[in-house]
Short mmCIF file of all heavy atoms in Angstrom, two decimals:
data_model
loop_
_atom_site.label_atom_id
_atom_site.label_comp_id
_atom_site.label_asym_id
_atom_site.label_seq_id
_atom_site.Cartn_x
_atom_site.Cartn_y
_atom_site.Cartn_z
N ASP B 41 5.61 11.39 13.34
CA ASP B 41 5.03 12.03 12.15
C ASP B 41 3.51 11.91 12.18
O ASP B 41 2.94 11.14 12.93
CB ASP B 41 5.60 11.44 10.86
CG ASP B 41 5.20 9.99 10.66
OD1 ASP B 41 4.59 9.42 11.57
OD2 ASP B 41 5.49 9.44 9.59
N LYS B 174 -4.18 22.32 9.60
CA LYS B 174 -4.36 21.01 8.96
C LYS B 174 -4.04 19.90 9.96
O LYS B 174 -4.48 18.78 9.83
CB LYS B 174 -3.42 20.89 7.75
CG LYS B 174 -3.87 21.67 6.53
CD LYS B 174 -5.21 21.19 6.00
CE LYS B 174 -5.05 19.84 5.26
NZ LYS B 174 -6.38 19.34 4.84
N LEU B 185 -13.48 16.25 30.56
CA LEU B 185 -14.84 16.04 30.04
C LEU B 185 -15.54 14.90 30.76
O LEU B 185 -14.91 13.97 31.23
CB LEU B 185 -14.78 15.71 28.55
CG LEU B 185 -14.13 16.76 27.65
CD1 LEU B 185 -14.13 16.29 26.22
CD2 LEU B 185 -14.84 18.09 27.78
N VAL B 233 9.42 4.66 22.90
CA VAL B 233 9.35 3.20 23.06
C VAL B 233 9.04 2.56 21.72
O VAL B 233 9.60 1.53 21.37
CB VAL B 233 8.29 2.81 24.11
CG1 VAL B 233 8.23 1.30 24.28
CG2 VAL B 233 8.58 3.49 25.43
N THR B 241 -2.33 -4.16 17.73
CA THR B 241 -1.86 -4.24 19.11
C THR B 241 -3.05 -4.44 20.06
O THR B 241 -4.20 -4.45 19.63
CB THR B 241 -1.10 -2.96 19.49
OG1 THR B 241 -0.54 -3.13 20.78
CG2 THR B 241 -1.99 -1.74 19.51
N LEU B 264 -14.70 -2.18 55.81
CA LEU B 264 -14.66 -1.73 57.20
C LEU B 264 -16.01 -1.11 57.52
O LEU B 264 -16.63 -0.50 56.64
CB LEU B 264 -13.58 -0.67 57.40
CG LEU B 264 -12.12 -1.06 57.20
CD1 LEU B 264 -11.24 0.16 57.28
CD2 LEU B 264 -11.70 -2.09 58.22
N ASP B 269 -19.56 10.39 62.44
CA ASP B 269 -19.18 11.50 61.54
C ASP B 269 -17.97 12.22 62.12
O ASP B 269 -17.95 12.56 63.30
CB ASP B 269 -20.33 12.52 61.44
CG ASP B 269 -21.50 11.97 60.66
OD1 ASP B 269 -21.38 10.82 60.17
OD2 ASP B 269 -22.51 12.68 60.53
N SER B 289 -25.34 25.28 49.24
CA SER B 289 -26.10 24.48 50.19
C SER B 289 -25.69 23.00 50.17
O SER B 289 -26.50 22.13 49.94
CB SER B 289 -27.58 24.63 49.87
OG SER B 289 -28.34 24.15 50.94
N THR B 358 -0.20 26.61 47.72
CA THR B 358 -0.88 26.50 49.00
C THR B 358 -0.22 25.45 49.88
O THR B 358 -0.20 25.58 51.11
CB THR B 358 -2.36 26.12 48.78
OG1 THR B 358 -2.86 26.89 47.70
CG2 THR B 358 -3.19 26.37 49.99
N ARG B 435 -7.62 13.33 62.22
CA ARG B 435 -8.95 12.75 62.26
C ARG B 435 -9.48 12.62 60.84
O ARG B 435 -10.11 11.63 60.49
CB ARG B 435 -9.90 13.66 63.07
CG ARG B 435 -9.58 13.71 64.54
CD ARG B 435 -10.07 12.47 65.26
NE ARG B 435 -11.53 12.36 65.26
CZ ARG B 435 -12.18 11.21 65.20
NH1 ARG B 435 -11.50 10.07 65.13
NH2 ARG B 435 -13.49 11.19 65.23
N GLU B 518 -31.86 11.52 42.13
CA GLU B 518 -33.27 11.11 42.21
C GLU B 518 -33.88 10.97 40.81
O GLU B 518 -34.62 10.04 40.53
CB GLU B 518 -34.14 12.12 42.97
CG GLU B 518 -33.70 12.40 44.39
CD GLU B 518 -33.07 13.78 44.50
OE1 GLU B 518 -33.81 14.76 44.32
OE2 GLU B 518 -31.85 13.86 44.71
#
Side-chain angles (χ1 to χ4, degrees):
Chain B
D41 66 354
K174 285 298 285 175
L185 301 179
V233 181
T241 186
L264 296 173
D269 289 357
S289 194
T358 317
R435 292 282 295 146
E518 302 108 67

